[in-house]
Each structure stands twice: as structure tokens, then as C-alpha cells.
Amino acid sequence: MNKIDSLLAKRFSSLGLQEKLEIKNLGAYQPKGVRITQVDGKKTRTFCVSWFEKKSWLSVSDEKNSLFCFYCVLFGGESLWAENGCKDMKHLSERIQKHESSKTHISNSLQFQMLGKTNILSTIDAGYSLSIKKHNELVDKNRHTLSRVIDCIKFCGVHELPLRGHDETIDSNNRGVFLDMVSYTATLDSAFSDHLKDSKITKNTSKTNQNEILECMYKVYIEEIKREIDKARFVSLQADETTDVSCRSQFVIILRYLKGYQPVKRFIAFIDVQDRTAMGLTNVLKEELNCFGLKEKLIAQAYDGAAVMSGSRNGVQSLMKEVYPNAHYVHCYAHQLNLVLKKVCSSNKRVRTFFSTLSGFGVFFTSSPKRNDLLREITFKQIPRVCETRWNFRSKIVTCIKENKTKIGECFDKIINDEGWDDTSVWQSVGFKKCLEDLEFNFFLSFFYSILKHVDVLYNILQSSNSNTITIKEAFEKFELSINFVRNSITDNVSGSILNDCEEMHENRMKRNTSIELLIEDAKDACDKVIYEISDRFRSIEIFKSFSILDPKNFKFNRQHFPRNHIKNILTNYPMLSEVKLMSELTVLYENAVFSDIGTINALSQFMHENNLIETFSEVSKLIEIVLVTPVSTADAERCFSTLKRIKTLLRNSTGQDRLNALAVLSIHKDYLQDIDQFNQKVIEMFSLMKQRRAEYLYK
């Protein structure tokens, strides 16, 4: 049927649809034994059958012993290729190229490929066309109403409101925020209101529909993350664990990468971990990261210092490096700072006694509303309780007592002298009053007031979302200088002010059982320990110091003293960088005045993107991305835990993991979800394909 001679004898247009489709399925007639020759003088040219493999439209006539275009024979075209046949073997290549470029051939090729794919009913049956139109109109209506339900769920998720109510029946006064939001939306949208009143198929407001919609939202979010990670060159991982209100272990995973020239952090999931061993946690991480394809991209992993996470042999970080060899472990620096301060404040008996006494002030006032009201009435302040994992709370206690010592003393005097206070409050007030008058307590109060101010600055930098290894290095160096300054000026500025305060307040009653020299030695010893511990912990990761080669503040110095040792250290840890090109690019970077006015590595990254220098400085841009992607703390994980506590409360303690992850995404990344193009429509598409639906959501 597909032979050229048969098609020339009986025109293709006269055949039935079934015959046409059979010819299409057979394709062009291309016999392997064909032999077409052309004698050109003394030279004989022969057709090569390899042309059939290159050109699916090329065919041959056995009777005419000529080449034809299969498509043009079927639908009509240039006489050479559709009627007479081509025998010119000398110029065959040029003729084929010319014919393929013709409008007629392209049109015939399109017509051949689309043959049989057009639904004939849609062109000849007006009733069927009308039914398609009605179907699509129904789909528009269903999509509109479902989009309104999605908006209501998003509203509740963004504001961390519970979706379910106590009683969701129509006559109930406590149907929940979601159903009330649906009802309110119906008052603003007549089409949605009619749907809720008249729909006999589904309203999509049930618990099952809520869970399915939330699941689809989460999947759309993860797909967007995958697309962004595909474009990123490097990714880092943060993970931490906490216990939620229902006593379940929640293991959070966060990925950090560069989007454009700015680092972004994306929440991935809360996971209810059953096996909390290093191998169990590692398997969880591998399973969750498997879909993102991070084999060569993962360059850092940040955890706290727990042995199960940080162990150099069998810890999570070492087991992860077996799969991700470039994933260097980062011990959260905020956690390290807390460990440093805990060690310093527990190594000396007097300092330990001071902080134990200090914590009693917060407990005394916060354990009684009456005492707390008195404190607020006189000082307009509230003394917080001590939190072992947050040293800035301890800093707040020191600051509050130092700056309001006189007024706090008035509170104790009022409790002691006024009737109506219980005996426990009175005798505890007497004890705290004596503490405020004690030389040793006042000395350390003033000393740690000056120390913890610098700790607060460092802690805030560590907790900042924009911090990177270079800014942290500078922050630690400034912190060491500040502690050294406090140490060197401690005699004049600290002990002197303490003695003056004590003599002014209690000139005749003060008993100095402790030598001031011993207190000064303790304070200096505390400063020395802080400096040593900070230096020792920061020295443990030399690679971060090597990142200073990209600090614009060091360009002038590096121009005169090229940092070969730092570069060698970087290349050892990141073998994906090219040594020769990196050194050449850094040389140009240091010597060119264009980069002299740039202040930070973030600004350098932005400058390179805006001026299309990424390809020119390919290795430097890779190193910049490594620096910006490498995390310095697990602060983002802590922020996710705060969200967890707001979402999964005592009244919502049975929230499932899938629902929890979706609600967490709506809360943590509300701005990001708004930027996803056609987010609601993508959710609807996924929702409709999840299972067979009674309502129609897909267009024909």
C-alpha cells in the first residue's frame, strides 16, 4: 500500500480514513536493495541507501527507478519529488536540502504527522462540540470554587490558625476558623455561595479534602524547591531535633542554597524519628535528600554538638560524608558560644554561686503574680527566668538587675516592711536584699554586665539569617578584642565602680569578707577562659579562615601577600575548583580597581551577577557560592521549632505529619508561596490527579 507506484496510480486523497492511517503506519517505502545509478562522463554515481536512515520522508519508485518525497506524493507538491522523481545523484545532497527547506514540504510533513490525531467528531458533530464547551465551563466553575477553598486553607495556615472546630455541624456556634472563613468568603463571591448551597457532589470542605489539599500544596512547594536546587551549584544541610507537645521527636531538615546571588533557606520537613541512633538519623536524612540529587552539590552539614550528630567516626556527620564526600561538618557556632559560657561560668566557685543567686531573682518574682505586679509597678520591668540553652536570657537578667538595682531594692523593702505579705516572701526578700548589698555579688554583676553586652552582639550576629563564615570570623575577632579590653581595664572601670556603689549605698554596714584582689583575679581568669575557648573552637576549622581570601577588605593586603596557603587549603577541601584558573582569577580580582569599592562578599556576589562576570570569574564565583551557602549555625532550625510550637499546640496535639509539614510550609514560607506562579492552579491539577474525583477539574 505504501509503494510510490501504487500511490501515483491511485491518489491518496481518494482513500478512506482507515486506509490512510494504514499507509501512515507503514511509512515511506524504503527497500534496502534499491540501486539507482547515474553515468556522468566516465564516472558512475550510485544512490547510497544510508540516505534512508537520515531522511524518513525519502522513498523510491521501482518502476521509474527514481527518488520521491513520500509526503509530497501523498498530499501533492513539487513535480520533481511528487510526480517525476529525482535521478540526479551528482547534486542529490543539494536537492534534498532545498526540498526540505520548501514551504510545501514542511506543510505536507505537518499534515502527515497530524493525520488521525484530530478527533473527527469535534469537526463534524456540533453536539459533541457543544458538550465539550459545557464540560469546560463546568470545569471553570469547579476550579473557581476549589480555588476559594484553597485560599481559605492558605489563610488559616499563614496565620497558624486551627482549621477544625469543636462541632462542625451547620447549627453549631463553634465550627472552626476554616468553615467560618469559607462562609465569609461565600458572602463576597456569589458563584462560591451558590456552589455551597446547591452542590450535591462535593463542597471540598471535609477533613479528608483538607488533608488532600494540604498534601498537594506541600508537593507543589517541594517541586518548586527541586527546580531551584537544579539551578544551584551547591547546597548545604541543617538538621536538629526537638520534642513536640505530644512528646514526639521532631527532626527538622533545612536546605540552604543560592537563588540568584542571595542565599535562601528552605524548610523541607518535620520527621517523627523512631530510631534516634546515628545510623537511624543518617538513613532518614539520606531518604529525604535522595529526591533532590545532591550527590556532588552538598558541601556542608550543620548540626549541634551532640555526640550522635558530631561523632568523627560513627556520628551522623561522618556517615553522611561516606555518601556526600564534600559535605563538611559545621558545629553550630551559637551552640558553641553557649558551651563556652557555660564552661566559663561553672569553672569557678564564686562565679557559679553568682549565677545561681542571679537565677533566684527571676524565680522569686515570676512564681507569684503579686510579686510580679509589684515589680512592674515600681520598675516597669519583668525579670525573665533562666534558660539553659539561651544565654541571651541570662544576659537580660544581668542587664535588668544592673540597670534597676535601686528600684528592685525598693521592691524588697516594701515586701519586708508592709503587712500582708506571706512569711516566705518576707524571708526570701531579706536574703535577696542582702545579695544586692554584697560586694562579691555587685562586683560580678558589674563585670558580667560589661561582658555579656559583647556576648549579645556576637549572639545576634550568629542568629542572623544573612551571616556567613566571613562575617562570623570578623565577629569573633572583634569579640576577642572586646573581652581583652574588658580584662585590661577591669581594675579601674569595674572594681572601682563597685566599691564606689557599695560605699555610697552602705558605707557603715558593708562587711568585706572577700578580698577585692581575689575577685579581680577571678574576673581576669574568666576573661582568659572565654578568649581561649573561643580561639580554640574557631581554630578547629581552618577552612573558614581561608575563606577570608574573598573578603573585599583584604584585597589590598592579598595583592601584596598572595594567600597561597589559604588557596591550597581550599583546594584540598573543595577539589571541584580548578587551581590554575582560581589563582589567575584571584590575581585579577585583587589588582583590578573595579572591585576596590565593594565592602562585603554579598556585595561582591551581586556585583558579579549584575555585570555578567560569572563566566569570566567562574572559579571565584563557585567559591563565593560555597562561602555564602555554608551555614554558621542552626538558627533556622530553631526558628522552625518556634513555628512547630505555635502550630502543634495542646489543642492540636494529634496533628498528623503530612498535615503538619504542609501547615509549617504555609507559615514559614508564606511569602515564597505567593511568588509561585499559578500556585492554586498547580494545586488543583495535582488534587484532580490524586484519585478519581466525582467533580470535573480537567479540561478537554
Side-chain angles (χ1 to χ4, degrees):
M1 291 180 68
N2 65 334
K3 289 186 177 181
I4 296 297
D5 300 313
S6 300
L7 294 171
L8 290 175
K10 188 175 183 180
R11 286 299 175 185
F12 184 72
S13 58
S14 64
L15 301 176
L17 177 62
Q18 189 62 36
E19 291 179 290
K20 290 180 179 180
L21 293 177
E22 289 180 12
I23 292 173
K24 178 184 177 181
N25 291 333
L26 291 172
Y29 174 65
Q30 296 179 333
K32 300 298 181 182
V34 65
R35 182 175 177 82
I36 303 175
T37 60
Q38 178 187 20
V39 179
D40 183 15
K42 296 181 179 181
K43 192 171 184 178
T44 301
R45 302 178 187 275
T46 305
F47 172 73
C48 182
V49 293
S50 62
W51 276 105
F52 287 151
E53 299 177 1
K54 301 177 184 177
K55 308 297 178 184
S56 61
W57 54 266
L58 200 60
S59 188
V60 63
S61 168
D62 293 331
E63 293 181 2
K64 295 187 177 183
N65 199 31
S66 303
L67 297 173
F68 284 82
C69 173
F70 186 62
Y71 303 154
C72 292
V73 170
L74 297 179
F75 300 105
E78 185 183 353
S79 59
L80 174 66
W81 292 96
E83 299 174 5
N84 302 325
C86 177
K87 296 183 179 181
D88 186 0
M89 298 297 106
K90 181 178 180 180
H91 304 97
L92 181 61
S93 179
E94 292 85 348
R95 288 184 180 277
I96 287 176
Q97 184 177 3
K98 180 180 178 181
H99 180 65
E100 274 192 323
S101 303
S102 67
K103 179 180 178 181
T104 303
H105 174 80
I106 295 172
S107 177
N108 289 339
S109 176
L110 175 63
Q111 195 171 350
F112 177 81
Q113 298 298 337
M114 297 305 296
L115 179 65
K117 293 186 178 180
T118 303
N119 193 336
I120 304 301
L121 291 176
S122 65
T123 59
I124 62 175
D125 190 348
Y128 184 75
S129 299
L130 182 61
S131 69
I132 290 179
K133 181 180 179 181
K134 289 183 177 180
H135 171 85
N136 290 340
E137 289 176 352
L138 178 62
V139 169
D140 282 333
K141 179 181 177 181
N142 291 341
R143 281 178 170 247
H144 173 76
T145 55
L146 181 55
S147 181
R148 288 289 175 266
V149 174
I150 293 173
D151 288 337
C152 294
I153 293 177
K154 282 165 62 178
F155 177 85
C156 294
V158 165
H159 296 283
E160 299 164 349
L161 300 172
L163 273 73
R164 300 184 66 189
H166 175 69
D167 181 4
E168 296 186 352
T169 58
I170 297 177
D171 299 330
S172 172
N173 292 324
N174 186 8
R175 303 182 67 206
V177 178
F178 169 69
L179 290 180
D180 285 345
M181 190 67 195
V182 168
S183 299
Y184 177 73
T185 304
T187 63
L188 305 176
D189 188 330
S190 58
F192 186 46
S193 177
D194 294 340
H195 165 76
L196 294 177
K197 292 177 182 177
D198 304 333
S199 177
K200 297 179 180 179
I201 298 177
T202 179
K203 298 180 181 179
N204 291 318
T205 58
S206 67
K207 174 188 173 182
T208 301
N209 288 133
Q210 291 174 27
N211 289 339
E212 289 175 347
I213 292 172
L214 285 168
E215 182 181 349
C216 292
M217 287 180 177
Y218 180 68
K219 287 181 179 179
V220 170
Y221 164 78
I222 292 296
E223 290 300 320
E224 290 295 321
I225 299 299
K226 289 179 182 178
R227 277 190 277 272
E228 290 185 350
I229 289 178
D230 286 340
K231 298 177 183 178
R233 285 185 288 196
F234 302 110
V235 180
S236 66
L237 163 71
Q238 296 180 46
D240 205 350
E241 187 266 345
T242 191
T243 302
D244 64 22
V245 69
S246 59
C247 293
R248 288 179 175 270
S249 174
Q250 297 290 354
F251 192 58
V252 66
I253 299 175
I254 295 171
L255 295 181
R256 176 183 173 115
Y257 52 90
L258 228 59
K259 185 179 180 182
Y261 54 82
Q262 291 292 341
V264 294
K265 286 79 61 183
R266 301 295 186 223
F267 164 82
I268 300 302
F270 285 121
I271 304 167
D272 182 5
V273 180
Q274 303 299 324
D275 183 0
R276 297 178 185 82
T277 63
M279 183 59 69
L281 294 174
T282 302
N283 290 336
V284 168
L285 287 174
K286 290 178 182 177
E287 184 179 351
E288 289 297 320
L289 300 181
N290 187 49
C291 65
F292 295 100
L294 303 179
K295 181 70 176 180
E296 303 297 332
K297 290 185 176 184
L298 193 66
I299 51 100
Q301 47 180 329
Y303 317 121
D304 59 21
V308 70
M309 304 299 292
S310 62
S312 58
R313 290 188 178 181
N314 296 315
V316 172
Q317 64 99 359
S318 61
L319 295 175
M320 286 291 288
K321 286 203 75 172
E322 295 176 1
V323 182
Y324 304 97
N326 298 323
H328 299 286
Y329 169 59
V330 179
H331 183 179
C332 171
Y333 276 103
H335 182 257
Q336 291 195 69
L337 178 61
N338 181 48
L339 294 178
V340 168
L341 294 173
K342 285 187 71 173
K343 186 172 183 178
V344 169
C345 295
S346 61
S347 60
N348 182 280
K349 178 181 177 181
R350 295 186 183 88
V351 174
R352 186 168 62 251
T353 301
F354 165 74
F355 278 105
S356 298
T357 305
L358 193 72
S359 63
F361 283 85
V363 174
F364 176 79
F365 285 106
T366 56
S367 60
S368 168
K370 185 178 180 182
R371 299 173 195 165
N372 214 28
D373 291 342
L374 176 64
L375 179 67
R376 283 200 299 265
E377 179 185 339
I378 296 177
T379 65
F380 302 102
K381 301 287 184 181
Q382 187 168 352
I383 302 176
R385 283 177 177 261
V386 170
C387 178
E388 290 299 324
T389 58
R390 289 291 178 271
W391 270 85
N392 58 340
F393 280 89
R394 201 160 297 211
S395 172
K396 289 178 181 178
I397 298 176
V398 172
T399 302
C400 183
I401 295 178
K402 172 63 179 175
E403 295 178 353
N404 301 277
K405 187 171 62 175
T406 303
K407 291 184 178 181
I408 292 174
E410 292 177 11
C411 291
F412 293 132
D413 287 335
K414 193 162 186 177
I415 293 174
I416 294 169
N417 298 323
D418 289 359
E419 296 181 358
W421 289 93
D422 59 279
D423 294 340
T424 302
S425 298
V426 173
W427 68 258
Q428 287 183 351
S429 296
V430 171
F432 285 120
K433 178 69 173 178
K434 289 182 178 179
C435 288
L436 293 179
E437 298 170 353
D438 181 65
L439 170 64
E440 183 176 319
F441 180 85
N442 280 276
F443 176 89
F444 285 118
L445 181 66
S446 183
F447 167 68
F448 282 105
Y449 176 74
S450 60
I451 288 288
L452 292 177
K453 287 191 296 186
H454 302 296
V455 172
D456 284 344
V457 173
L458 179 58
Y459 194 84
N460 289 335
I461 295 174
L462 290 171
Q463 295 288 82
S464 173
S465 300
N466 298 321
S467 293
N468 55 63
T469 52
I470 292 179
T471 58
I472 292 301
K473 176 180 175 295
E474 294 175 354
F476 272 107
E477 289 173 350
K478 291 179 180 179
F479 179 72
E480 288 185 31
L481 291 174
S482 300
I483 300 301
N484 266 318
F485 176 78
V486 172
R487 185 193 187 284
N488 295 332
S489 59
I490 192 170
T491 304
D492 297 330
N493 294 342
V494 179
S495 62
S497 63
I498 289 296
L499 290 173
N500 292 335
D501 288 345
C502 292
E503 290 172 359
E504 183 177 322
M505 292 173 58
H506 310 282
E507 184 174 355
N508 299 322
R509 293 163 49 195
M510 178 59 59
K511 295 181 180 180
R512 299 181 185 174
N513 297 325
T514 305
S515 171
I516 191 64
E517 288 76 13
L518 292 177
L519 298 179
I520 293 174
E521 288 302 318
D522 287 344
K524 289 183 177 180
D525 182 59
C527 291
D528 292 337
K529 286 179 180 177
V530 170
I531 294 170
Y532 172 78
E533 290 290 335
I534 290 293
S535 301
D536 182 61
R537 288 179 180 275
F538 192 67
R539 193 184 301 116
S540 62
I541 306 180
E542 290 293 332
I543 183 60
F544 287 176
K545 290 188 176 182
S546 299
F547 287 160
S548 62
I549 65 173
L550 290 179
D551 189 353
K553 301 183 185 69
N554 299 331
F555 284 1
K556 184 176 180 180
F557 177 82
N558 291 340
R559 183 167 61 246
Q560 300 172 352
H561 307 279
F562 196 73
R564 297 183 183 276
N565 291 334
H566 284 321
I567 294 174
K568 183 179 179 181
N569 189 22
I570 288 172
L571 293 171
T572 302
N573 288 275
Y574 302 101
M576 72 284 293
L577 299 173
S578 171
E579 179 178 2
V580 176
K581 196 167 190 305
L582 178 61
M583 295 183 74
S584 300
E585 291 177 7
L586 287 173
T587 302
V588 175
L589 193 71
Y590 296 153
E591 294 178 352
N592 201 307
V594 174
F595 303 99
S596 59
D597 295 331
I598 297 175
T600 64
I601 187 172
N602 299 76
L604 178 62
S605 175
Q606 181 178 354
F607 181 84
M608 287 191 169
H609 274 80
E610 291 177 348
N611 293 279
N612 299 318
L613 296 174
I614 300 300
E615 186 176 350
T616 304
F617 292 90
S618 60
E619 302 307 300
V620 167
S621 65
K622 285 181 186 177
L623 187 54
I624 290 174
E625 189 163 347
I626 289 173
V627 174
L628 294 178
V629 165
T630 301
V632 295
S633 72
T634 56
D636 297 302
E638 298 290 344
R639 294 187 182 98
C640 290
F641 292 153
S642 298
T643 303
L644 172 65
K645 291 177 181 178
R646 295 193 300 270
I647 294 175
K648 195 169 184 178
T649 62
L650 285 170
L651 295 178
R652 289 187 279 173
N653 58 15
S654 61
T655 302
Q657 290 298 122
D658 292 340
R659 189 182 182 101
L660 175 63
N661 286 330
L663 291 173
V665 167
L666 289 172
S667 174
I668 297 169
H669 294 297
K670 44 182 164 289
D671 295 335
Y672 177 72
L673 294 181
Q674 290 178 356
D675 295 334
I676 296 178
D677 186 42
Q678 297 291 314
F679 177 75
N680 282 16
Q681 298 305 315
K682 291 178 180 178
V683 172
I684 292 172
E685 291 284 344
M686 194 167 290
F687 178 78
S688 61
L689 297 173
M690 181 179 287
K691 65 181 184 182
Q692 189 69 33
R693 303 285 177 187
R694 295 174 63 192
E696 297 289 347
Y697 297 104
L698 297 177
Y699 294 104
K700 286 185 178 179

